[in-house]
Amino acid sequence: MITKLIRKNILKLKPYTSARDLYSNGILLDANENSFGSSFQELEELHLNRYPDPHQVDLRNAVSRLLTIDAEKLFFGVGSDEIIDLLIRIFCEPREDQVMLLEPTYGMYKVACDINNVETVSPLLNDSFQIDFAEVEKYYSDKVKIIFVCSPNNPTGNLLNKNDIIQLCRNYNSIVVVDEAYIDFAPEETSLINEVANYPNLVVMRTFSKAWGLAGVRLGYCAADEEIISYLFKVKAPYNINALTRYAVLKSITNEEKKKSAVSSIVSERLRVEIELKNILAITNVYPSDANYLLIRLPNAKEIQKELAVKGIVIRDRSSQPTLSNCLRITIGTKEENDALLEKLKDILPLRH
Ligand SMILES: *Cc1c(COP(=O)(O)O)cnc(C)c1O
């Protein structure tokens, strides 16, 4: 089934074989590297004068242990953003195939499709921001090669029903990509990552940018059936993940406690801020969130966002997204940052219950 969905040029592609594919030990005179060492003097043990391992063995083993998932089912990209782009390039013939987006959702999927000249079709989520299968049916055809599902969804904040996503995998002859960038902030047992063993068309993406606090390091990964993983390796740039990124991420993984304590602080702050926002009369909706942000709706959202920015508080205007007129997205910060946000917001919106 997967083979049929792959673009013919990618099926036939003979990938670049890099120097480090064959040998990585010995007197290395095969890659035109600088044997005299790096001009960057720190972290000598990283051997930054050498190209990094293209097979991602260190990261695959570490995340395999962390999640108890087969290392063979993992692939790493320069942020999730690289994986989104690679998947489109593997499965979608430009100007022929389509990608389905469930709107409102993360904007990068559409941009990546536009760059690749792949058309998007966009059924809307229902009033509770869940999958509306009647809408999906209206837009689905066999041109749709990938369905992107974001859960918890950005910017609405909610998880999508797990059974609905499984229905997509079962009933549609397309790749279903579930973006779990925010899954650490959601209740346990809501991830689909263990389902990749059951559905060969399911890809689950994660990132180190949010809960792990490594947005500056640029590392994302996905779990999927080995066949899809093999195509991702075939099309990626040979040395996509650099040695500094690996060093930072492998060290962070040994400090999972720090991540867990940040997540629990963020979740408890989210509950507090949600209650405070609901007390502000002008705010008509505070949507339930399983992520590290809250979506709110209020009159004159654009102006409120600008007024807050003048007062030094920066939040995101999401008003221009489908069905989200007058909506703002607020990331949960530290207690002090959240207090500052609430104080300035109450200055601007004095009417309270
Ligand atoms: C932040 C975010 C990502 C992370 O992207 P990276 O490229 O890994 O930093 C992915 N998906 C969604 C929905 C996001 O909001």
Side-chain angles (χ1 to χ4, degrees), residues 78-82 84 105-106 109 150 152-154 179-182 205-210 215 218-221 293 329:
V78 181
S80 317
D81 290 345
E82 182 186 16
I84 294 167
T105 195
Y106 185 44
Y109 312 134
C150 190
N153 187 37
N154 182 0
D179 186 345
E180 293 191 349
Y182 300 99
M205 287 197 305
R206 300 267 187 98
T207 179
F208 282 90
S209 297
K210 308 285 156 63
R218 310 303 307 128
L219 192 73
Y221 60 95
Y293 50 86
R329 193 192 67 195

Side-chain angles (χ1 to χ4, degrees), residues 4-5 8 63 71 91 96 150 160 185 293 305 335:
K4 275 199 193 148
L5 291 170
K8 291 193 181 57
V63 172
F91 292 103
E96 254 175 57
C150 190
L160 300 202
F185 305 102
Y293 50 86
Q305 187 251 344
K335 179 167 191 316

Side-chain angles (χ1 to χ4, degrees), residues 59-121:
L59 292 168
R60 293 177 100 189
N61 287 339
V63 172
S64 161
R65 265 183 262 117
L66 185 72
L67 303 178
T68 53
I69 191 164
D70 289 349
E72 290 71 30
K73 292 188 160 65
L74 295 171
F75 173 82
F76 292 80
V78 181
S80 317
D81 290 345
E82 182 186 16
I83 300 176
I84 294 167
D85 181 64
L86 292 177
L87 289 167
I88 294 168
R89 284 157 60 193
I90 291 168
F91 292 103
C92 302
E93 204 59 64
R95 308 174 63 161
E96 254 175 57
D97 294 330
Q98 294 177 335
V99 165
M100 180 174 280
L101 309 177
L102 306 170
E103 295 282 2
T105 195
Y106 185 44
M108 253 331 272
Y109 312 134
K110 170 120 180 30
V111 173
C113 289
D114 288 348
I115 290 168
N116 286 295
N117 212 355
V118 170
E119 194 183 352
T120 56
V121 289

